[in-house]
Amino acid sequence: MTDHHTYKMLELVGSSTVSIDDAIQNAIAQAAKSVKLMEWFEVLETRGHIEDGKVGHFQVTLKVGFRIDNS
């Protein structure tokens, strides 16, 4: 067994009307339904939509790393 791992990265965009954190959680939860062995994420970009002078929703672009299974 080796201590070396290989990772692949994918980019996700999550959104939420609640918060930036919720947008991140939503993106990761959806990806977890089909992507296995996710181990880390990095926030690349945050932005939002303004409605009637208030934040309508948050949008977060994430880079997610997942390990390629060696078995």
Side-chain angles (χ1 to χ4, degrees), residues 14-29:
S15 64
S16 170
T17 57
V18 177
S19 68
I20 291 170
D21 181 64
D22 196 50
I24 293 168
Q25 297 290 343
N26 290 341
I28 291 173

Side-chain angles (χ1 to χ4, degrees), residues 20-49:
I20 291 170
D21 181 64
D22 196 50
I24 293 168
Q25 297 290 343
N26 290 341
I28 291 173
Q30 277 299 115
K33 292 178 182 178
S34 61
V35 179
K36 305 304 176 208
L37 304 174
M38 289 189 296
E39 294 194 358
W40 57 267
F41 73 93
E42 175 184 358
V43 175
L44 300 177
E45 191 172 43
T46 56
R47 62 189 161 274
H49 181 251

